[in-house]
């Protein structure tokens, strides 16, 4: 004959409330440095700064792409990058233990 457990207690005698429930972890997105938009962002910033340094250099030439305009473009690129990362982070979550086929 087996003894029945009391309500609220498991067969081991420990109250069920003391069991810890493991919350499943999830990954939202890849880290930013592992994404293609990060590399595109870095390449675009470098291209803008190099273009600003090269354009207009020389004897008697007017600087058609001054530094303040280049930094404005870098700022706009940064805003675009931050918005794209924000949209990527707001995507659906996927459990960390789940493997893709």
């Amino acid at each position: 004959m087996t003894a029945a457990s009391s309500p609220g207690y498991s067969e081991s005698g420990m109250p069920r409330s003391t069991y810890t429930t493991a919350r499943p972890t999830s990954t939202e997105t890849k880290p930013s440095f592992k994404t293609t938009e990060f590399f595109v962002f870095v390449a675009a910033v470098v291209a803008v700064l190099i273009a600003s340094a090269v354009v207009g250099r020389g004897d008697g030439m007017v600087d058609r792409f001054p530094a303040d305009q280049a930094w404005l473009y870098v700022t706009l690129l940064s805003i675009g990058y931050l918005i794209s990362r924000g949209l990527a982070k707001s995507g659906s979550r996927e459990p960390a233990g789940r493997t893709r086929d």
Side-chain angles (χ1 to χ4, degrees):
M1 184 157 140
T2 61
S5 62
S6 299
Y9 287 87
S10 66
E11 292 297 322
S12 65
M14 293 180 59
R16 288 188 182 134
S17 62
T18 60
Y19 290 128
T20 57
T21 56
R23 286 183 46 196
T25 58
S26 64
T27 58
E28 205 168 322
T29 59
K30 288 192 259 182
S32 62
F33 61 89
K34 290 185 175 181
T35 60
T36 44
E37 69 247 14
F38 175 74
F39 294 112
V40 170
F41 167 71
V42 170
V45 167
V46 169
V48 166
L49 295 177
I50 289 173
S52 176
V54 171
V55 172
R57 296 288 179 163
D59 295 332
M61 296 185 79
V62 177
D63 191 5
R64 294 185 175 263
F65 193 24
D68 59 338
Q69 189 177 8
W71 284 108
L72 173 67
Y73 290 144
V74 169
T75 302
L76 295 175
L77 284 168
S78 299
I79 291 169
Y81 176 72
L82 292 173
I83 289 172
S84 74
R85 287 305 300 159
L87 291 174
K89 291 263 183 205
S90 69
S92 62
R93 293 185 178 210
E94 171 181 301
R98 185 177 167 190
T99 58
R100 292 184 179 176
D101 293 332

